[in-house]
Amino acid sequence: QLQLVESGGGLVQPGGSLRLSCAASGFTLGYYAIGWFRQAPGKEREGVSCISSSGGSTNYEDSAKGRFTIWRDNAKNTVYLQMNSLKPEDTGVYYCAADRGAPQLLRLCPSSTKYDYWGQGTQVTVSS
């Protein structure tokens, strides 16, 4: 069965950190670019960051720049998102998604419609 599984979410105070993981099973993650998205209650899903299949190219949305870091370990079939200096507005369900057709140079993160597989999401809550 082909699936992506996110983990690492939880409740954290403002200014705290979390590391999310996106693990693939049933397929080789190294062939896919990976995007991280989030959806806050009552809001549309938005992109956060993305990384090329090789890991050589990354991109961050403005909300994540300087605070979040994405990287991957293809040997472990896993992509990570380190989130520092978390703010209440970072609260939401975080999803990872895999895109087989993305270029190696990611000038922009692929549109959400481009992704082939999606995980079920992990809840991140930033609150005091």
Side-chain angles (χ1 to χ4, degrees):
Q1 184 177 2
L2 307 178
Q3 60 177 355
L4 291 170
V5 179
E6 302 94 338
S7 61
L11 173 64
V12 64
Q13 292 186 343
S17 298
L18 284 173
R19 178 178 296 178
L20 305 184
S21 298
C22 171
S25 64
F27 66 102
T28 302
L29 202 60
Y31 293 131
Y32 295 78
I34 298 298
W36 281 98
F37 296 81
R38 67 187 181 191
Q39 187 165 20
K43 295 187 176 181
E44 292 187 355
R45 183 173 56 195
E46 62 177 3
V48 175
S49 182
C50 60
I51 187 168
S52 63
S53 59
S54 68
S57 179
T58 60
N59 204 290
Y60 299 88
E61 301 301 328
D62 288 344
S63 60
K65 287 179 181 177
R67 299 188 299 127
F68 294 3
T69 302
I70 188 172
W71 77 98
R72 65 192 302 155
D73 185 340
N74 285 342
K76 294 183 178 180
N77 233 22
T78 303
V79 172
Y80 304 93
L81 183 70
Q82 177 70 37
M83 305 188 296
N84 298 329
S85 302
L86 283 162
K87 306 173 182 179
E89 50 264 44
D90 294 318
T91 294
V93 179
Y94 282 69
Y95 301 90
C96 64
D99 176 8
R100 181 68 188 262
Q104 283 301 317
L105 179 58
L106 296 173
R107 299 185 186 281
L108 294 172
C109 288
S111 166
S112 61
T113 61
K114 298 292 187 179
Y115 291 86
D116 303 291
Y117 303 111
W118 289 82
Q120 293 300 307
T122 184
Q123 176 69 45
V124 171
T125 303
V126 185
S127 175
S128 55

